Amino acid sequence: MNSFRKAVEARDPEAMAATLAENVVFRSPVAFKPYPGKAITAAILRGVLRVFEDFRYVRELTGGGGRDHALVFEARIGDVRVEGCDFLHLDEAGLIDEFTVMVRPLSAAQALAEAMAAQFDRIQREAVN
């Protein structure tokens, strides 16, 4: 998990993508349908890097024999403070195959939904290139 966290903290989208399994499934805090696949997940994560300001992890929890991780974070979207958690599961090769994000409070989820909606055409283009 250390490699993903370091990649995020360095704001390095290529290093972040390198930690994802080809069959990763991303579950958004603001969309019901999951997004399957490395290309779309990496594109979403690049969009998040553009949206979140002052992002930092504040706690890391590990369980499930070292294959389940929760990374608690804080960030901003404009003037809106965001608290959240990345729930990650690693496959046998140590790559992320499940990625679920939760955020709070409601104002943060709404700000995130708006900001990511504004990014989504770009995200979809990036996922196919």
Side-chain angles (χ1 to χ4, degrees):
M1 195 45 11
N2 203 19
S3 58
F4 176 76
R5 182 174 178 167
K6 282 183 178 182
V8 171
E9 290 170 339
R11 300 184 63 84
D12 183 341
E14 289 80 24
M16 290 165 60
T19 67
L20 302 174
E22 289 297 327
N23 65 337
V24 63
V25 175
F26 181 84
R27 290 179 180 81
S28 164
V30 296
F32 180 74
K33 99 176 178 156
Y35 295 94
K38 182 175 181 172
I40 189 67
T41 300
I44 289 168
L45 293 175
R46 287 190 299 273
V48 169
L49 286 177
R50 293 187 293 266
V51 166
F52 278 153
E53 302 169 65
D54 301 329
F55 183 94
R56 67 186 183 104
Y57 285 118
V58 295
R59 186 176 338 156
E60 182 173 338
L61 308 167
T62 302
R67 293 180 60 189
D68 292 299
H69 301 270
L71 300 172
V72 180
F73 65 84
E74 295 175 349
R76 278 185 315 101
I77 300 171
D79 292 333
V80 179
R81 187 169 172 253
V82 180
E83 296 176 341
C85 190
D86 294 336
F87 295 96
L88 309 170
H89 181 270
L90 306 180
D91 65 12
E92 294 82 19
L95 297 173
I96 299 167
D97 63 358
E98 293 177 28
F99 195 128
T100 301
V101 181
M102 300 287 188
V103 297
R104 67 166 303 279
L106 178 58
S107 60
Q110 291 168 328
L112 181 59
E114 247 179 62
M116 290 302 288
Q119 294 276 325
F120 213 74
D121 285 342
R122 181 176 177 182
I123 288 168
Q124 289 180 310
R125 284 192 308 274
E126 289 179 1
V128 295
N129 292 328

mmCIF file with all atom_site columns, all heavy atoms in Angstrom, residues 1 3 14-15 18-19 30-31 38 45 48 51-52 57-58 64 72 82 84 93 98 108 111-112 117 121 128:
data_model
loop_
_atom_site.group_PDB
_atom_site.id
_atom_site.type_symbol
_atom_site.label_atom_id
_atom_site.label_alt_id
_atom_site.label_comp_id
_atom_site.label_asym_id
_atom_site.label_entity_id
_atom_site.label_seq_id
_atom_site.pdbx_PDB_ins_code
_atom_site.Cartn_x
_atom_site.Cartn_y
_atom_site.Cartn_z
_atom_site.occupancy
_atom_site.B_iso_or_equiv
_atom_site.pdbx_formal_charge
_atom_site.auth_seq_id
_atom_site.auth_comp_id
_atom_site.auth_asym_id
_atom_site.auth_atom_id
_atom_site.pdbx_PDB_model_num
ATOM 1   N N   . MET A 1 1   ? 0.814   -1.184  0.000   1.00 0.00 ? 1   MET A N   1
ATOM 2   C CA  . MET A 1 1   ? 0.000   0.000   0.000   1.00 0.00 ? 1   MET A CA  1
ATOM 3   C C   . MET A 1 1   ? 0.856   1.245   0.000   1.00 0.00 ? 1   MET A C   1
ATOM 4   O O   . MET A 1 1   ? 0.450   2.275   -0.488  1.00 0.00 ? 1   MET A O   1
ATOM 5   C CB  . MET A 1 1   ? -0.898  -0.030  1.226   1.00 0.00 ? 1   MET A CB  1
ATOM 6   C CG  . MET A 1 1   ? -2.007  0.924   1.170   1.00 0.00 ? 1   MET A CG  1
ATOM 7   S SD  . MET A 1 1   ? -2.965  1.091   -0.337  1.00 0.00 ? 1   MET A SD  1
ATOM 8   C CE  . MET A 1 1   ? -2.564  -0.201  -1.415  1.00 0.00 ? 1   MET A CE  1
ATOM 9   N N   . SER A 1 3   ? 3.298   2.035   -1.844  1.00 0.00 ? 3   SER A N   1
ATOM 10  C CA  . SER A 1 3   ? 3.590   2.585   -3.172  1.00 0.00 ? 3   SER A CA  1
ATOM 11  C C   . SER A 1 3   ? 2.431   3.440   -3.681  1.00 0.00 ? 3   SER A C   1
ATOM 12  O O   . SER A 1 3   ? 2.657   4.490   -4.285  1.00 0.00 ? 3   SER A O   1
ATOM 13  C CB  . SER A 1 3   ? 3.936   1.479   -4.161  1.00 0.00 ? 3   SER A CB  1
ATOM 14  O OG  . SER A 1 3   ? 2.874   0.561   -4.257  1.00 0.00 ? 3   SER A OG  1
ATOM 15  N N   . GLU A 1 14  ? 1.185   8.565   -13.103 1.00 0.00 ? 14  GLU A N   1
ATOM 16  C CA  . GLU A 1 14  ? 1.735   7.343   -13.707 1.00 0.00 ? 14  GLU A CA  1
ATOM 17  C C   . GLU A 1 14  ? 2.052   6.313   -12.626 1.00 0.00 ? 14  GLU A C   1
ATOM 18  O O   . GLU A 1 14  ? 1.776   5.119   -12.793 1.00 0.00 ? 14  GLU A O   1
ATOM 19  C CB  . GLU A 1 14  ? 2.979   7.659   -14.543 1.00 0.00 ? 14  GLU A CB  1
ATOM 20  C CG  . GLU A 1 14  ? 2.690   8.403   -15.830 1.00 0.00 ? 14  GLU A CG  1
ATOM 21  C CD  . GLU A 1 14  ? 2.469   9.905   -15.616 1.00 0.00 ? 14  GLU A CD  1
ATOM 22  O OE1 . GLU A 1 14  ? 2.955   10.461  -14.605 1.00 0.00 ? 14  GLU A OE1 1
ATOM 23  O OE2 . GLU A 1 14  ? 1.788   10.514  -16.457 1.00 0.00 ? 14  GLU A OE2 1
ATOM 24  N N   . ALA A 1 15  ? 2.633   6.767   -11.528 1.00 0.00 ? 15  ALA A N   1
ATOM 25  C CA  . ALA A 1 15  ? 2.935   5.846   -10.425 1.00 0.00 ? 15  ALA A CA  1
ATOM 26  C C   . ALA A 1 15  ? 1.648   5.325   -9.785  1.00 0.00 ? 15  ALA A C   1
ATOM 27  O O   . ALA A 1 15  ? 1.583   4.166   -9.379  1.00 0.00 ? 15  ALA A O   1
ATOM 28  C CB  . ALA A 1 15  ? 3.811   6.538   -9.386  1.00 0.00 ? 15  ALA A CB  1
ATOM 29  N N   . ALA A 1 18  ? 0.301   2.596   -11.973 1.00 0.00 ? 18  ALA A N   1
ATOM 30  C CA  . ALA A 1 18  ? 1.123   1.383   -11.898 1.00 0.00 ? 18  ALA A CA  1
ATOM 31  C C   . ALA A 1 18  ? 0.710   0.472   -10.742 1.00 0.00 ? 18  ALA A C   1
ATOM 32  O O   . ALA A 1 18  ? 1.036   -0.716  -10.745 1.00 0.00 ? 18  ALA A O   1
ATOM 33  C CB  . ALA A 1 18  ? 2.599   1.754   -11.772 1.00 0.00 ? 18  ALA A CB  1
ATOM 34  N N   . THR A 1 19  ? -0.023  1.000   -9.767  1.00 0.00 ? 19  THR A N   1
ATOM 35  C CA  . THR A 1 19  ? -0.453  0.184   -8.623  1.00 0.00 ? 19  THR A CA  1
ATOM 36  C C   . THR A 1 19  ? -1.806  -0.481  -8.866  1.00 0.00 ? 19  THR A C   1
ATOM 37  O O   . THR A 1 19  ? -2.275  -1.238  -8.016  1.00 0.00 ? 19  THR A O   1
ATOM 38  C CB  . THR A 1 19  ? -0.546  1.037   -7.344  1.00 0.00 ? 19  THR A CB  1
ATOM 39  O OG1 . THR A 1 19  ? -1.601  1.995   -7.481  1.00 0.00 ? 19  THR A OG1 1
ATOM 40  C CG2 . THR A 1 19  ? 0.766   1.729   -7.037  1.00 0.00 ? 19  THR A CG2 1
ATOM 41  N N   . VAL A 1 30  ? -19.998 9.298   -5.456  1.00 0.00 ? 30  VAL A N   1
ATOM 42  C CA  . VAL A 1 30  ? -21.098 10.102  -5.987  1.00 0.00 ? 30  VAL A CA  1
ATOM 43  C C   . VAL A 1 30  ? -21.798 9.470   -7.189  1.00 0.00 ? 30  VAL A C   1
ATOM 44  O O   . VAL A 1 30  ? -22.693 10.072  -7.763  1.00 0.00 ? 30  VAL A O   1
ATOM 45  C CB  . VAL A 1 30  ? -20.612 11.534  -6.333  1.00 0.00 ? 30  VAL A CB  1
ATOM 46  C CG1 . VAL A 1 30  ? -20.172 12.256  -5.066  1.00 0.00 ? 30  VAL A CG1 1
ATOM 47  C CG2 . VAL A 1 30  ? -19.501 11.515  -7.359  1.00 0.00 ? 30  VAL A CG2 1
ATOM 48  N N   . ALA A 1 31  ? -21.415 8.265   -7.567  1.00 0.00 ? 31  ALA A N   1
ATOM 49  C CA  . ALA A 1 31  ? -22.063 7.559   -8.675  1.00 0.00 ? 31  ALA A CA  1
ATOM 50  C C   . ALA A 1 31  ? -22.353 6.134   -8.225  1.00 0.00 ? 31  ALA A C   1
ATOM 51  O O   . ALA A 1 31  ? -21.502 5.496   -7.614  1.00 0.00 ? 31  ALA A O   1
ATOM 52  C CB  . ALA A 1 31  ? -21.179 7.547   -9.908  1.00 0.00 ? 31  ALA A CB  1
ATOM 53  N N   . LYS A 1 38  ? -8.674  -0.646  -15.549 1.00 0.00 ? 38  LYS A N   1
ATOM 54  C CA  . LYS A 1 38  ? -7.549  0.203   -15.181 1.00 0.00 ? 38  LYS A CA  1
ATOM 55  C C   . LYS A 1 38  ? -7.594  1.555   -15.887 1.00 0.00 ? 38  LYS A C   1
ATOM 56  O O   . LYS A 1 38  ? -7.318  2.590   -15.268 1.00 0.00 ? 38  LYS A O   1
ATOM 57  C CB  . LYS A 1 38  ? -6.234  -0.525  -15.505 1.00 0.00 ? 38  LYS A CB  1
ATOM 58  C CG  . LYS A 1 38  ? -4.998  0.245   -15.122 1.00 0.00 ? 38  LYS A CG  1
ATOM 59  C CD  . LYS A 1 38  ? -3.754  -0.592  -15.349 1.00 0.00 ? 38  LYS A CD  1
ATOM 60  C CE  . LYS A 1 38  ? -2.498  0.156   -14.943 1.00 0.00 ? 38  LYS A CE  1
ATOM 61  N NZ  . LYS A 1 38  ? -1.320  -0.717  -14.990 1.00 0.00 ? 38  LYS A NZ  1
ATOM 62  N N   . LEU A 1 45  ? -8.723  8.930   -11.318 1.00 0.00 ? 45  LEU A N   1
ATOM 63  C CA  . LEU A 1 45  ? -7.748  9.381   -10.322 1.00 0.00 ? 45  LEU A CA  1
ATOM 64  C C   . LEU A 1 45  ? -7.015  10.644  -10.790 1.00 0.00 ? 45  LEU A C   1
ATOM 65  O O   . LEU A 1 45  ? -6.743  11.545  -9.993  1.00 0.00 ? 45  LEU A O   1
ATOM 66  C CB  . LEU A 1 45  ? -6.765  8.267   -9.991  1.00 0.00 ? 45  LEU A CB  1
ATOM 67  C CG  . LEU A 1 45  ? -7.373  7.068   -9.260  1.00 0.00 ? 45  LEU A CG  1
ATOM 68  C CD1 . LEU A 1 45  ? -6.338  5.961   -9.084  1.00 0.00 ? 45  LEU A CD1 1
ATOM 69  C CD2 . LEU A 1 45  ? -7.964  7.476   -7.925  1.00 0.00 ? 45  LEU A CD2 1
ATOM 70  N N   . VAL A 1 48  ? -9.357  13.427  -10.118 1.00 0.00 ? 48  VAL A N   1
ATOM 71  C CA  . VAL A 1 48  ? -9.374  13.749  -8.687  1.00 0.00 ? 48  VAL A CA  1
ATOM 72  C C   . VAL A 1 48  ? -8.166  14.621  -8.327  1.00 0.00 ? 48  VAL A C   1
ATOM 73  O O   . VAL A 1 48  ? -8.295  15.571  -7.550  1.00 0.00 ? 48  VAL A O   1
ATOM 74  C CB  . VAL A 1 48  ? -9.428  12.465  -7.840  1.00 0.00 ? 48  VAL A CB  1
ATOM 75  C CG1 . VAL A 1 48  ? -9.190  12.751  -6.375  1.00 0.00 ? 48  VAL A CG1 1
ATOM 76  C CG2 . VAL A 1 48  ? -10.763 11.759  -8.036  1.00 0.00 ? 48  VAL A CG2 1
ATOM 77  N N   . VAL A 1 51  ? -9.012  18.087  -9.057  1.00 0.00 ? 51  VAL A N   1
ATOM 78  C CA  . VAL A 1 51  ? -10.124 18.646  -8.290  1.00 0.00 ? 51  VAL A CA  1
ATOM 79  C C   . VAL A 1 51  ? -9.755  18.921  -6.834  1.00 0.00 ? 51  VAL A C   1
ATOM 80  O O   . VAL A 1 51  ? -10.086 19.973  -6.286  1.00 0.00 ? 51  VAL A O   1
ATOM 81  C CB  . VAL A 1 51  ? -11.340 17.692  -8.373  1.00 0.00 ? 51  VAL A CB  1
ATOM 82  C CG1 . VAL A 1 51  ? -12.390 18.030  -7.342  1.00 0.00 ? 51  VAL A CG1 1
ATOM 83  C CG2 . VAL A 1 51  ? -11.928 17.712  -9.777  1.00 0.00 ? 51  VAL A CG2 1
ATOM 84  N N   . PHE A 1 52  ? -9.085  17.956  -6.185  1.00 0.00 ? 52  PHE A N   1
ATOM 85  C CA  . PHE A 1 52  ? -8.760  18.101  -4.768  1.00 0.00 ? 52  PHE A CA  1
ATOM 86  C C   . PHE A 1 52  ? -7.579  19.049  -4.574  1.00 0.00 ? 52  PHE A C   1
ATOM 87  O O   . PHE A 1 52  ? -6.577  18.960  -5.276  1.00 0.00 ? 52  PHE A O   1
ATOM 88  C CB  . PHE A 1 52  ? -8.391  16.755  -4.143  1.00 0.00 ? 52  PHE A CB  1
ATOM 89  C CG  . PHE A 1 52  ? -9.565  15.902  -3.744  1.00 0.00 ? 52  PHE A CG  1
ATOM 90  C CD1 . PHE A 1 52  ? -9.429  14.534  -3.698  1.00 0.00 ? 52  PHE A CD1 1
ATOM 91  C CD2 . PHE A 1 52  ? -10.779 16.442  -3.382  1.00 0.00 ? 52  PHE A CD2 1
ATOM 92  C CE1 . PHE A 1 52  ? -10.480 13.717  -3.308  1.00 0.00 ? 52  PHE A CE1 1
ATOM 93  C CE2 . PHE A 1 52  ? -11.845 15.646  -2.991  1.00 0.00 ? 52  PHE A CE2 1
ATOM 94  C CZ  . PHE A 1 52  ? -11.689 14.284  -2.954  1.00 0.00 ? 52  PHE A CZ  1
ATOM 95  N N   . TYR A 1 57  ? -3.239  12.337  3.357   1.00 0.00 ? 57  TYR A N   1
ATOM 96  C CA  . TYR A 1 57  ? -3.696  11.186  4.136   1.00 0.00 ? 57  TYR A CA  1
ATOM 97  C C   . TYR A 1 57  ? -3.383  11.456  5.600   1.00 0.00 ? 57  TYR A C   1
ATOM 98  O O   . TYR A 1 57  ? -2.305  11.949  5.930   1.00 0.00 ? 57  TYR A O   1
ATOM 99  C CB  . TYR A 1 57  ? -2.999  9.901   3.678   1.00 0.00 ? 57  TYR A CB  1
ATOM 100 C CG  . TYR A 1 57  ? -3.532  9.372   2.366   1.00 0.00 ? 57  TYR A CG  1
ATOM 101 C CD1 . TYR A 1 57  ? -2.724  9.261   1.251   1.00 0.00 ? 57  TYR A CD1 1
ATOM 102 C CD2 . TYR A 1 57  ? -4.869  8.983   2.251   1.00 0.00 ? 57  TYR A CD2 1
ATOM 103 C CE1 . TYR A 1 57  ? -3.215  8.777   0.050   1.00 0.00 ? 57  TYR A CE1 1
ATOM 104 C CE2 . TYR A 1 57  ? -5.367  8.498   1.057   1.00 0.00 ? 57  TYR A CE2 1
ATOM 105 C CZ  . TYR A 1 57  ? -4.536  8.397   -0.040  1.00 0.00 ? 57  TYR A CZ  1
ATOM 106 O OH  . TYR A 1 57  ? -5.035  7.918   -1.225  1.00 0.00 ? 57  TYR A OH  1
ATOM 107 N N   . VAL A 1 58  ? -4.329  11.109  6.473   1.00 0.00 ? 58  VAL A N   1
ATOM 108 C CA  . VAL A 1 58  ? -4.141  11.356  7.900   1.00 0.00 ? 58  VAL A CA  1
ATOM 109 C C   . VAL A 1 58  ? -4.082  10.069  8.719   1.00 0.00 ? 58  VAL A C   1
ATOM 110 O O   . VAL A 1 58  ? -3.675  10.098  9.877   1.00 0.00 ? 58  VAL A O   1
ATOM 111 C CB  . VAL A 1 58  ? -5.238  12.290  8.471   1.00 0.00 ? 58  VAL A CB  1
ATOM 112 C CG1 . VAL A 1 58  ? -5.126  13.669  7.832   1.00 0.00 ? 58  VAL A CG1 1
ATOM 113 C CG2 . VAL A 1 58  ? -6.630  11.718  8.277   1.00 0.00 ? 58  VAL A CG2 1
ATOM 114 N N   . GLY A 1 64  ? -7.265  -7.894  6.850   1.00 0.00 ? 64  GLY A N   1
ATOM 115 C CA  . GLY A 1 64  ? -7.415  -8.923  5.826   1.00 0.00 ? 64  GLY A CA  1
ATOM 116 C C   . GLY A 1 64  ? -6.103  -9.532  5.380   1.00 0.00 ? 64  GLY A C   1
ATOM 117 O O   . GLY A 1 64  ? -5.897  -9.767  4.201   1.00 0.00 ? 64  GLY A O   1
ATOM 118 N N   . VAL A 1 72  ? -7.464  7.149   5.230   1.00 0.00 ? 72  VAL A N   1
ATOM 119 C CA  . VAL A 1 72  ? -8.311  8.270   5.599   1.00 0.00 ? 72  VAL A CA  1
ATOM 120 C C   . VAL A 1 72  ? -7.638  9.554   5.115   1.00 0.00 ? 72  VAL A C   1
ATOM 121 O O   . VAL A 1 72  ? -6.443  9.737   5.324   1.00 0.00 ? 72  VAL A O   1
ATOM 122 C CB  . VAL A 1 72  ? -8.533  8.304   7.128   1.00 0.00 ? 72  VAL A CB  1
ATOM 123 C CG1 . VAL A 1 72  ? -9.427  9.467   7.525   1.00 0.00 ? 72  VAL A CG1 1
ATOM 124 C CG2 . VAL A 1 72  ? -9.110  6.974   7.614   1.00 0.00 ? 72  VAL A CG2 1
ATOM 125 N N   . VAL A 1 82  ? -13.279 18.532  2.754   1.00 0.00 ? 82  VAL A N   1
ATOM 126 C CA  . VAL A 1 82  ? -13.664 17.152  2.467   1.00 0.00 ? 82  VAL A CA  1
ATOM 127 C C   . VAL A 1 82  ? -12.928 16.225  3.416   1.00 0.00 ? 82  VAL A C   1
ATOM 128 O O   . VAL A 1 82  ? -11.719 16.349  3.607   1.00 0.00 ? 82  VAL A O   1
ATOM 129 C CB  . VAL A 1 82  ? -13.299 16.765  1.015   1.00 0.00 ? 82  VAL A CB  1
ATOM 130 C CG1 . VAL A 1 82  ? -13.700 15.329  0.723   1.00 0.00 ? 82  VAL A CG1 1
ATOM 131 C CG2 . VAL A 1 82  ? -13.915 17.726  0.015   1.00 0.00 ? 82  VAL A CG2 1
ATOM 132 N N   . GLY A 1 84  ? -12.578 11.964  3.920   1.00 0.00 ? 84  GLY A N   1
ATOM 133 C CA  . GLY A 1 84  ? -12.944 10.761  3.197   1.00 0.00 ? 84  GLY A CA  1
ATOM 134 C C   . GLY A 1 84  ? -12.033 9.599   3.493   1.00 0.00 ? 84  GLY A C   1
ATOM 135 O O   . GLY A 1 84  ? -11.119 9.690   4.311   1.00 0.00 ? 84  GLY A O   1
ATOM 136 N N   . ALA A 1 93  ? -1.068  -10.361 -6.587  1.00 0.00 ? 93  ALA A N   1
ATOM 137 C CA  . ALA A 1 93  ? 0.163   -9.733  -7.067  1.00 0.00 ? 93  ALA A CA  1
ATOM 138 C C   . ALA A 1 93  ? 0.464   -8.427  -6.335  1.00 0.00 ? 93  ALA A C   1
ATOM 139 O O   . ALA A 1 93  ? 1.474   -7.778  -6.614  1.00 0.00 ? 93  ALA A O   1
ATOM 140 C CB  . ALA A 1 93  ? 0.070   -9.479  -8.570  1.00 0.00 ? 93  ALA A CB  1
ATOM 141 N N   . GLU A 1 98  ? -9.774  -3.598  -6.106  1.00 0.00 ? 98  GLU A N   1
ATOM 142 C CA  . GLU A 1 98  ? -11.023 -2.959  -5.673  1.00 0.00 ? 98  GLU A CA  1
ATOM 143 C C   . GLU A 1 98  ? -10.656 -1.618  -5.050  1.00 0.00 ? 98  GLU A C   1
ATOM 144 O O   . GLU A 1 98  ? -9.755  -1.548  -4.208  1.00 0.00 ? 98  GLU A O   1
ATOM 145 C CB  . GLU A 1 98  ? -11.761 -3.808  -4.643  1.00 0.00 ? 98  GLU A CB  1
ATOM 146 C CG  . GLU A 1 98  ? -12.285 -5.108  -5.177  1.00 0.00 ? 98  GLU A CG  1
ATOM 147 C CD  . GLU A 1 98  ? -12.958 -5.941  -4.094  1.00 0.00 ? 98  GLU A CD  1
ATOM 148 O OE1 . GLU A 1 98  ? -13.493 -5.361  -3.124  1.00 0.00 ? 98  GLU A OE1 1
ATOM 149 O OE2 . GLU A 1 98  ? -12.930 -7.174  -4.214  1.00 0.00 ? 98  GLU A OE2 1
ATOM 150 N N   . ALA A 1 108 ? -19.555 18.190  0.981   1.00 0.00 ? 108 ALA A N   1
ATOM 151 C CA  . ALA A 1 108 ? -18.348 17.734  0.290   1.00 0.00 ? 108 ALA A CA  1
ATOM 152 C C   . ALA A 1 108 ? -18.701 16.785  -0.849  1.00 0.00 ? 108 ALA A C   1
ATOM 153 O O   . ALA A 1 108 ? -18.136 16.878  -1.944  1.00 0.00 ? 108 ALA A O   1
ATOM 154 C CB  . ALA A 1 108 ? -17.405 17.051  1.271   1.00 0.00 ? 108 ALA A CB  1
ATOM 155 N N   . ALA A 1 111 ? -20.060 18.914  -3.641  1.00 0.00 ? 111 ALA A N   1
ATOM 156 C CA  . ALA A 1 111 ? -18.987 19.646  -4.313  1.00 0.00 ? 111 ALA A CA  1
ATOM 157 C C   . ALA A 1 111 ? -18.162 18.702  -5.185  1.00 0.00 ? 111 ALA A C   1
ATOM 158 O O   . ALA A 1 111 ? -17.780 19.049  -6.307  1.00 0.00 ? 111 ALA A O   1
ATOM 159 C CB  . ALA A 1 111 ? -18.098 20.349  -3.290  1.00 0.00 ? 111 ALA A CB  1
ATOM 160 N N   . LEU A 1 112 ? -17.900 17.505  -4.685  1.00 0.00 ? 112 LEU A N   1
ATOM 161 C CA  . LEU A 1 112 ? -17.143 16.519  -5.451  1.00 0.00 ? 112 LEU A CA  1
ATOM 162 C C   . LEU A 1 112 ? -17.919 16.089  -6.691  1.00 0.00 ? 112 LEU A C   1
ATOM 163 O O   . LEU A 1 112 ? -17.356 15.995  -7.784  1.00 0.00 ? 112 LEU A O   1
ATOM 164 C CB  . LEU A 1 112 ? -16.793 15.310  -4.580  1.00 0.00 ? 112 LEU A CB  1
ATOM 165 C CG  . LEU A 1 112 ? -15.983 14.207  -5.247  1.00 0.00 ? 112 LEU A CG  1
ATOM 166 C CD1 . LEU A 1 112 ? -14.652 14.739  -5.771  1.00 0.00 ? 112 LEU A CD1 1
ATOM 167 C CD2 . LEU A 1 112 ? -15.765 13.062  -4.285  1.00 0.00 ? 112 LEU A CD2 1
ATOM 168 N N   . ALA A 1 117 ? -18.160 16.009  -12.312 1.00 0.00 ? 117 ALA A N   1
ATOM 169 C CA  . ALA A 1 117 ? -19.031 16.080  -13.492 1.00 0.00 ? 117 ALA A CA  1
ATOM 170 C C   . ALA A 1 117 ? -18.424 17.020  -14.533 1.00 0.00 ? 117 ALA A C   1
ATOM 171 O O   . ALA A 1 117 ? -18.452 16.740  -15.737 1.00 0.00 ? 117 ALA A O   1
ATOM 172 C CB  . ALA A 1 117 ? -20.434 16.532  -13.100 1.00 0.00 ? 117 ALA A CB  1
ATOM 173 N N   . ASP A 1 121 ? -16.073 14.563  -19.175 1.00 0.00 ? 121 ASP A N   1
ATOM 174 C CA  . ASP A 1 121 ? -15.781 14.410  -20.609 1.00 0.00 ? 121 ASP A CA  1
ATOM 175 C C   . ASP A 1 121 ? -14.278 14.178  -20.813 1.00 0.00 ? 121 ASP A C   1
ATOM 176 O O   . ASP A 1 121 ? -13.883 13.307  -21.593 1.00 0.00 ? 121 ASP A O   1
ATOM 177 C CB  . ASP A 1 121 ? -16.232 15.635  -21.396 1.00 0.00 ? 121 ASP A CB  1
ATOM 178 C CG  . ASP A 1 121 ? -17.743 15.695  -21.570 1.00 0.00 ? 121 ASP A CG  1
ATOM 179 O OD1 . ASP A 1 121 ? -18.414 14.652  -21.388 1.00 0.00 ? 121 ASP A OD1 1
ATOM 180 O OD2 . ASP A 1 121 ? -18.260 16.789  -21.868 1.00 0.00 ? 121 ASP A OD2 1
ATOM 181 N N   . VAL A 1 128 ? -9.714  6.391   -23.010 1.00 0.00 ? 128 VAL A N   1
ATOM 182 C CA  . VAL A 1 128 ? -9.603  5.659   -24.281 1.00 0.00 ? 128 VAL A CA  1
ATOM 183 C C   . VAL A 1 128 ? -8.302  5.947   -25.005 1.00 0.00 ? 128 VAL A C   1
ATOM 184 O O   . VAL A 1 128 ? -8.019  5.334   -26.025 1.00 0.00 ? 128 VAL A O   1
ATOM 185 C CB  . VAL A 1 128 ? -10.814 5.941   -25.218 1.00 0.00 ? 128 VAL A CB  1
ATOM 186 C CG1 . VAL A 1 128 ? -12.075 5.406   -24.600 1.00 0.00 ? 128 VAL A CG1 1
ATOM 187 C CG2 . VAL A 1 128 ? -10.928 7.400   -25.549 1.00 0.00 ? 128 VAL A CG2 1
#
